[in-house]
Amino acid sequence: MRLETSRLLIRDWHPETDAADAIAIYGDPQVTQWIGDKSLDTTVEAVQARLQRYRDRAAAFPGLGCWAVVQPAEQTVIGTVLLMPLPGRDNQPSGKVEIGWHFRPASWGHGYATEAAQAVLQVGFATLGLPTIYAVTLPENERSIRVMQRLHLTDLGSSQDYYGGYTLRLFCRTREDSSKPS
Ligand SMILES: CC(C)(COP(=O)(O)OP(=O)(O)OC[C@H]1O[C@@H](n2cnc3c(N)ncnc32)[C@H](O)[C@@H]1OP(=O)(O)O)[C@@H](O)C(=O)NCCC(=O)NCCS
């Protein structure tokens, strides 16, 4: 995957050379407290193992993945945007696809997550032909909920059907919604 937006480059993670940037994301509890895989990765080995776990989860599903979001001017990876199989109540793939975002705190508050997610939603609908893309969040994650609202996702309310049964707030967008002018 290689995708340019007005301010960002979205590309595959390169675990060998991106590890330090990945630690600024996954070694920070302000990020990991909100995401499914809560291990706090403060070493190169730990963060590389995480990127490998994401790769393994997506491997059976053509076109899905977890990508690095780069600020080209600074050549820095500032976040992750992903399209992945959404784990069900039993933690096995539910048959649905989720979009997600994990950014280092230093890069919050600039619209980067929304910009990257908008581009990846288009890939999901236009290139992969997905009919519906879901997003889930802990109900207290107000920043992530604001991203979902900016992306015009539909709020489907509380659900315990995903990620092993946690109470989560579920959102979705359909390909049809996406082809309407917003
Ligand atoms: C969730 C997360 C990605 C949101 O990041 P974010 O920077 O708040 O979201 P956006 O990229 O959409 O940025 C929007 C903010 O940038 C501001 N902004 C500043 N300049 C902007 C610009 N040029 N364009 C758009 N927005 C801009 C917006 O006003 C908005 O601020 P507000 O939310 O305070 O009103 C981030 O908090 C994060 O990584 N959290 C930890 C991991 C996590 O929770 N992941 C989701 C699990 S469900």
Side-chain angles (χ1 to χ4, degrees):
M1 152 88 104
R2 193 178 172 87
L3 199 60
E4 284 176 29
T5 68
S6 58
R7 296 180 295 172
L8 302 169
L9 167 68
I10 300 168
R11 61 152 168 84
D12 292 337
W13 275 100
H14 303 145
E16 297 302 321
T17 46
D18 291 334
D21 289 348
I23 288 171
I25 304 168
Y26 296 111
D28 192 323
Q30 295 179 85
V31 176
T32 57
Q33 68 175 319
W34 298 116
I35 67 182
D37 185 337
K38 296 191 191 316
S39 77
L40 191 61
D41 300 336
T42 53
T43 66
V44 169
E45 294 72 24
V47 87
Q48 287 178 340
R50 173 191 289 271
L51 296 176
Q52 189 60 46
R53 286 196 295 279
Y54 287 142
R55 189 167 291 186
D56 293 346
R57 259 182 66 202
F61 300 87
L64 302 190
C66 163
W67 302 288
V69 181
V70 180
Q71 217 172 17
E74 298 177 20
Q75 292 286 305
T76 304
V77 183
I78 60 168
T80 287
V81 63
L82 58 86
L83 276 181
M84 296 278 269
L86 173 60
R89 192 189 277 269
D90 55 2
N91 269 320
Q92 297 304 306
S94 61
K96 298 184 165 95
V97 171
E98 70 165 323
I99 187 167
W101 34 76
H102 314 146
F103 279 67
R104 60 175 197 177
S107 298
W108 295 1
H110 299 277
Y112 295 139
T114 300
E115 184 172 322
Q118 254 156 357
V120 165
L121 277 176
Q122 280 318 301
V123 169
F125 292 126
T127 310
L128 303 181
L130 297 169
T132 308
I133 297 176
Y134 293 84
V136 292
T137 177
L138 287 166
E140 311 79 42
N141 191 348
E142 291 172 12
R143 275 191 169 269
S144 196
I145 289 170
R146 286 206 294 276
V147 175
M148 294 172 189
Q149 290 166 340
R150 279 191 283 273
L151 292 169
H152 306 290
L153 304 190
T154 301
D155 187 351
L156 301 176
S158 180
S159 171
Q160 295 183 330
D161 291 339
Y162 304 102
Y163 277 96
Y166 276 95
T167 299
L168 298 171
R169 196 154 149 198
L170 178 68
F171 291 77
C172 80
R173 188 165 165 109
T174 64
R175 193 166 51 203
E176 257 171 34
D177 293 339
S178 268
S179 56
K180 289 182 204 148
S182 52

